[in-house]
Amino acid sequence: MDLPIVVGVDGSKPSLRAVDWAADEAAVRGAPLRLVHASLWERYEGVSLTADLGKPSEQVMAEEIVATAERRARRRQADAKISTDVLPEEPEYALVRESRSASAVVLGSRGRSGMAEALLGSVSVTVAGHAHCPVIVLPGSHDNQARSGARARIAVGVAEDAESAAALHFALEEARLRGVPLDAVRAWRCPAQSIDHGRLSGEAARQHQVRAGQVLEAALREAPAEVEVHRRIVEGPARQVLSAVSAEADLLVVGARRREGHYGLQLGRVVHAVLHHSACPVAVVPQRA
C-alpha cells in the first residue's frame, strides 16, 4: 500500500502553500495525499456538549479548514487521491503519530523573525525533531520560491560517513523523480589552531579540503547513473553554506540523527539553523543511529 504524504493544515496562508507543494509532490510520486487538522476543541468543549447541542463551533471551523484545503488540493491536482481528518489533540503529537504511516509530512512555517519564528519552533521544528519519516518545512517568506520546480534542482548536505545516508537516498530519489540535477554539498572548515601556525595554515586547509572531497565521494559511490550529480565542496560553517545553497534549489535535504531512548529534540544546531534561514523548502530526513 502506498504511504500518503501528510499535510498539517490550520487555515493559514503558509499551510495552504504547504497543501500546494504537497499536492505537486504527491503527483510526482503517485502517492495519496492526507490533509490533517489537529485541534483540542473536543477536550475544551466536552463530548457531552457536542452530543447535546450538535457540533461545537470549533469543530465546524476545523472541518471547514480541511474542506478548504481539500478544494485547493483538487484545484492544484485534479486527479489526486485525497483523504482528510480532524484530530482532537495537540498538532505536534498528532503529526508525529501520523509520521509513522506516512512517506513524508509537509508543513508551512509562518516566517523568520520575532513571534513568527517562535511559531515555527512550536510545531514545525518539534515535528521535524521527532518524526519517523521525512518532514518538509516550507519557508515563511513571500517570494514564492516554495513553488514546486522554481529552480529545477535539489540540494543535499552531506555529513560524515553514514550520518547522511538516509538524507542522500531521499535527495537522489527526489532528483530522479523530478528529472533535475542534485547538488551534493560538503562544507568544511580548517580548525582555528591550524590557522595560528602561519606557513602551515595553507597545508592544513588543503588537507581538510581533500578530506571533505573524500567524504563526498564515499557518500556518492552508489549514486544511480540516471541522476546528474554536481559535487560541491565549500569552505565555511555548514549552517551558513547550506542556507546559501538553498537560494539556488527547489528543495534542500538534510539529515537528523535519531538516537533510541533519547526523547529530547533531535535536530542538531545545523538543521535547526537551516530550518529558520533556508530560502527554499527543507526536507529533514531521520537517520537512525
Side-chain angles (χ1 to χ4, degrees), residues 59-137:
Q59 184 182 4
V60 173
M61 182 177 68
E63 291 176 351
E64 180 56 29
I65 285 172
V66 295
T68 298
E70 181 179 8
R71 290 192 295 269
R72 182 162 178 139
R74 292 199 185 282
R75 286 197 301 269
R76 187 82 174 192
Q77 297 290 341
D79 297 328
K81 182 179 179 181
I82 303 173
S83 62
T84 65
D85 209 348
V86 175
L87 305 175
E89 57 187 310
E90 292 281 6
E92 295 91 332
Y93 300 141
L95 292 169
V96 169
R97 192 188 66 252
E98 289 283 326
S99 75
R100 292 182 177 274
S101 55
S103 59
V105 173
V106 181
L107 301 169
S109 65
R110 298 176 183 268
R112 296 196 185 96
S113 61
M115 182 57 69
E117 185 167 324
L119 288 170
L120 170 62
S122 68
V123 177
S124 301
V125 170
T126 301
V127 175
H130 294 91
H132 302 271
C133 70
V135 175
I136 296 97
V137 180

Side-chain angles (χ1 to χ4, degrees), residues 2 17 25 40 46 61 69 90 99 105 134 138 209 228 251:
D2 291 334
R17 292 171 68 232
E25 181 73 2
L40 292 177
M61 182 177 68
E90 292 281 6
S99 75
V105 173
L138 274 66
Q209 185 176 20
E228 179 184 343
L251 179 68

Side-chain angles (χ1 to χ4, degrees), residues 188-209 235:
W188 66 276
R189 297 185 72 184
C190 190
Q193 60 268 29
S194 299
I195 298 175
D196 293 337
H197 286 82
R199 288 187 303 113
L200 297 178
S201 61
E203 176 61 21
R206 190 188 69 80
Q207 291 176 0
H208 285 283
Q209 185 176 20
E235 181 180 10

